[in-house]
Amino acid sequence: MKFSAEINSLEYQSRDCMIIGIFASRKLSPIAKKLDKISNGYISSILLRGALEGNVGQTLLLYKIPNVIPEQVLLIGCGKEAELDERLYKQIIKKTINTLKYIGSTKTFYFLTELHLKKRNTYWKVRIAVETIKETLYAFEQLKSKKSKLICVLHEIVFNVLTNHELNDAALAIKHGLAISSGITATKDLSNMPPNICNAKYLSLHAKQLADSFKPKISTFLIGEKEMKELGMSAYLAVGNGSQNESLMSVIHYKGEGGTAKPIVLIGKGLTFDSGGISIKTPENMDEMKYDMCGAASVYGVMLIAAKLKLPLNIIGILAGCENMINENSYRPGDILTTMNGQTVEVLNTDAEGRLVICDVLTYVERFEPELVIDIATLTGACVVALGHHFTGLMSNNNLLASELIYASEQSNDRAWILPMTVEFQDQLDSNFADIANISKKPGGAITAACFLSKFTQKYVWAHLDIAGTAWSTGESKGATGRPVAMLSQFLLNRAGIKSDH
Ligand code: BES
Ligand code: MN
Ligand code: ZN
């Protein structure tokens, strides 16, 4: 699909379509007023007959309005004008696309750019529109023998703007929106892959293929079990012990123009399946533990975006691939592991495996002398209890980094919330036999998991994103969401000083 922007588009063809907003109580938007005028009150007369009230999501597709060149005009309800917010804006776009996707038109002129949203400008409205349209049209059908018959016939969307300045903003928003959407799509595709196909090796092939596509800016190297042994990454190795699939860490290095500064390091939890190990999980929804690699998939997507947008940054992305399975080599409850930085850990539950993998990677990345480190992990069910499926949990040893991330999450509408990581929680990890235990027996599980990681991040600025509740949807619409790729790429755009005002 093509996206473009035009100032007060006037060159319409008959096969075109227009997307027009109508507010609650049949209040006309500016463009609706214009069309109403040139059609001698056609639109308002139809509305008065009760065809559309203007509530959010109501639609009415009109054909051949008198004196209007485009044959098709979609009226979409936008609710009360003063109540329009980000959530409703996205809902309106989704409904619009689902209504239009099978209806042929040459060009579709998008006038929802004229809707007024508090603190959001044209750039934001266009970028979120591009991202939401791509999201609405996403389907994972690689492994279905029958693809859905109906393919989208929307060919081109033209965003209508009013001034030259807005035209530039819209063009930038389209560019950013397309790059970010392609990263989100890549993350979703990788996340949705089943665990018999997507193992640590499969992740590493994706990492290598990134390097091939973006030579010489991206290079990739792999650390397998042999190297991990030499490095002393015993906690990481213990988790993968019970699996036939080799543990494999993929290190992706992106060096943009002027990217000579200290690197920004992103670490993604890449448990391609988490059975729980000997502390085995209950069968309900266990299939969803294929999504325990969504952190790694999001790092992959972000690296792709950085390369596509040619960000002037130095970024290292790590996919920490591993599988938590059960055989006679599995690690056990009671085992005491020596981590790469020398701290010993008593395993009280083999299902708290993510932190054991990530802690060794956190020590490993010290060698890069990072500017900052962010780990992204489907780490705890407790985070889902705390924040539901709406917010990513954010914990950090640095308030400035935490607020930068929150700001990026608000800009990108990919929201996160800070959880407190205070000393009381640290004490909950005391062990009778080792330096620390891998779980706390008391409440606050999302925080104690972060506290565990914080014991390995004392040499640098660090933040932890717990995406257990946000990385995928369950139930009927089961599927990866691609979160928190939007938030992280916004964070990188801001870090690169690239203007993407909202
Ligand atoms: N990958 C899971 C966390 C998870 C569970 C994410 C359900 C999304 C939905 C993680 O490895 C895990 O099993 N965590 C345990 C920790 C517990 C044993 C302290 C959990 O949250 O139950
Ligand atoms: Mn687990
Ligand atoms: Zn896990």
Side-chain angles (χ1 to χ4, degrees):
M1 186 189 303
K2 257 178 76 182
F3 292 95
S4 59
E6 284 178 19
I7 300 180
N8 279 325
S9 332
L10 285 170
E11 289 176 18
Y12 299 120
Q13 311 275 328
S14 63
R15 296 275 297 139
D16 292 343
C17 175
M18 297 170 93
I19 303 169
I20 307 292
I22 304 289
F23 296 111
S25 313
R26 303 177 297 272
K27 183 167 185 266
L28 303 185
S29 60
I31 179 72
K33 269 186 201 147
K34 248 192 235 168
L35 294 193
D36 195 44
K37 206 168 159 201
I38 57 174
S39 64
N40 302 319
Y42 184 83
I43 293 182
S44 45
S45 71
I46 279 193
L47 295 184
L48 270 176
R49 270 192 250 157
L52 183 113
E53 191 54 37
N55 299 334
V56 172
Q58 280 185 323
T59 55
L60 181 65
L61 188 57
L62 299 175
Y63 285 87
K64 302 203 173 168
I65 299 178
N67 310 324
V68 174
I69 300 170
E71 262 171 15
Q72 309 180 54
V73 172
L74 179 76
L75 303 184
I76 172 93
C78 297
K80 288 197 183 125
E81 197 171 3
E83 287 175 9
L84 186 67
D85 62 8
E86 287 87 351
R87 192 177 59 91
L88 294 175
Y89 180 66
K90 284 177 82 164
Q91 208 174 309
I92 290 163
I93 296 170
K94 269 187 197 152
K95 184 67 202 247
T96 301
I97 296 307
N98 281 327
T99 309
L100 289 180
K101 65 182 169 184
Y102 304 133
I103 295 169
S105 61
T106 325
K107 276 185 176 182
T108 304
F109 289 89
Y110 181 99
F111 283 90
L112 304 180
T113 35
E114 62 175 19
L115 300 181
H116 187 71
L117 269 155
K118 239 186 256 162
K119 289 193 223 149
R120 303 297 194 187
N121 61 13
T122 302
Y123 172 92
W124 192 90
K125 283 181 274 186
V126 172
R127 195 175 115 191
I128 292 294
V130 172
E131 291 176 16
T132 307
I133 291 167
K134 289 284 183 186
E135 184 185 315
T136 310
L137 297 174
Y138 177 84
F140 183 73
E141 298 197 320
Q142 294 179 48
L143 302 171
K144 290 202 183 207
S145 21
K146 282 197 191 124
K147 318 282 178 219
S148 47
K149 279 170 269 155
L150 299 165
I151 36 157
C152 173
V153 291
L154 273 174
H155 299 293
E156 184 171 358
I157 297 207
V158 184
F159 293 102
N160 189 75
V161 297
L162 300 175
T163 64
N164 254 317
H165 182 77
E166 282 186 340
L167 189 66
N168 290 336
D169 278 0
L172 193 67
I174 291 170
K175 181 184 149 188
H176 291 170
L178 280 175
I180 291 168
S181 301
S182 75
I184 290 175
T185 300
T187 296
K188 285 182 181 170
D189 282 346
L190 194 51
S191 303
N192 285 327
M193 267 294 163
N196 60 324
I197 295 175
C198 176
N199 51 32
K201 174 97 191 164
Y202 186 83
L203 293 180
S204 77
L205 293 175
H206 270 68
K208 286 217 148 141
Q209 171 222 315
L210 260 190
D212 289 342
S213 319
F214 295 96
K215 246 184 260 169
K217 280 197 174 138
I218 291 188
S219 57
T220 294
F221 66 92
L222 308 179
I223 308 257
E225 291 185 355
K226 185 167 161 281
E227 292 92 337
M228 285 191 203
K229 240 169 237 150
E230 286 161 12
L231 288 160
M233 303 175 82
S234 306
Y236 191 147
L237 281 166
V239 174
N241 259 351
S243 170
Q244 297 277 346
N245 295 309
E246 191 188 354
S247 295
L248 200 53
M249 176 166 96
S250 310
V251 183
I252 307 166
H253 193 172
Y254 166 79
K255 225 171 184 179
E257 212 73 53
T260 47
K262 289 162 131 193
I264 292 173
V265 175
L266 305 175
I267 300 170
K269 174 177 173 183
L271 264 287
T272 58
F273 188 70
D274 176 16
S275 70
I278 289 181
S279 318
I280 193 165
K281 289 184 180 293
T282 51
E284 201 193 345
N285 297 335
M286 213 209 266
D287 64 295
E288 293 183 10
M289 279 302 115
K290 71 169 181 180
Y291 288 124
D292 214 13
M293 39 62 73
C294 284
S298 67
V299 170
Y300 171 76
V302 170
M303 298 308 282
L304 176 66
I305 294 167
K308 283 203 167 177
L309 289 177
K310 301 192 172 78
L311 297 183
L313 295 171
N314 186 8
I315 313 170
I316 294 174
I318 297 186
L319 319 183
C322 188
E323 189 181 35
N324 190 15
M325 295 293 276
I326 309 174
N327 69 16
E328 71 272 22
N329 298 316
S330 294
Y331 78 132
R332 324 158 188 76
D335 282 358
I336 294 183
L337 312 170
T338 303
T339 62
M340 186 177 173
N341 81 353
Q343 292 183 83
T344 55
V345 180
E346 182 185 12
V347 177
L348 292 178
N349 188 320
T350 62
D351 199 10
E353 84 299 334
R355 62 199 79 183
L356 296 173
V357 169
I358 297 169
C359 77
D360 275 346
V361 184
L362 288 168
T363 304
Y364 174 79
V365 302
E366 281 174 11
R367 68 192 52 215
F368 301 127
E369 296 181 15
E371 165 78 13
L372 60 96
V373 178
I374 304 172
D375 77 79
I376 304 104
T378 46
L379 206 61
T380 64
C383 191
V384 192
V385 175
L387 300 174
H389 296 291
H390 308 295
F391 286 82
T392 292
L394 164 58
M395 284 143 274
S396 175
N397 64 9
N398 184 283
N399 290 338
L400 203 64
L401 175 59
S403 41
E404 267 186 71
L405 284 165
I406 291 291
Y407 184 61
S409 85
E410 281 165 3
Q411 282 175 294
S412 57
N413 206 37
D414 179 3
R415 292 172 301 169
W417 200 262
I418 300 176
L419 298 175
M421 213 178 42
T422 52
V423 65
E424 298 90 326
F425 294 101
Q426 298 278 0
D427 295 344
Q428 290 181 210
L429 290 168
D430 288 348
S431 156
N432 288 357
F433 306 108
D435 298 340
I436 41 173
N438 81 325
I439 59 162
S440 150
K441 294 251 156 96
K442 292 187 193 147
I447 297 171
T448 46
C451 287
F452 182 95
L453 298 179
S454 76
K455 297 183 189 294
F456 299 84
T457 62
Q458 269 146 19
K459 299 212 170 123
Y460 46 70
V461 169
W462 158 78
H464 160 63
L465 296 175
D466 194 331
I467 56 168
T470 50
W472 75 92
S473 309
T474 53
E476 236 172 272
S477 55
K478 191 188 289 183
T481 60
R483 293 179 68 182
V485 171
M487 163 189 177
L488 286 170
S489 34
Q490 186 60 50
F491 170 76
L492 293 176
L493 279 169
N494 295 349
R495 276 266 159 176
I498 292 173
K499 188 184 152 276
S500 46
D501 274 342
H502 293 72

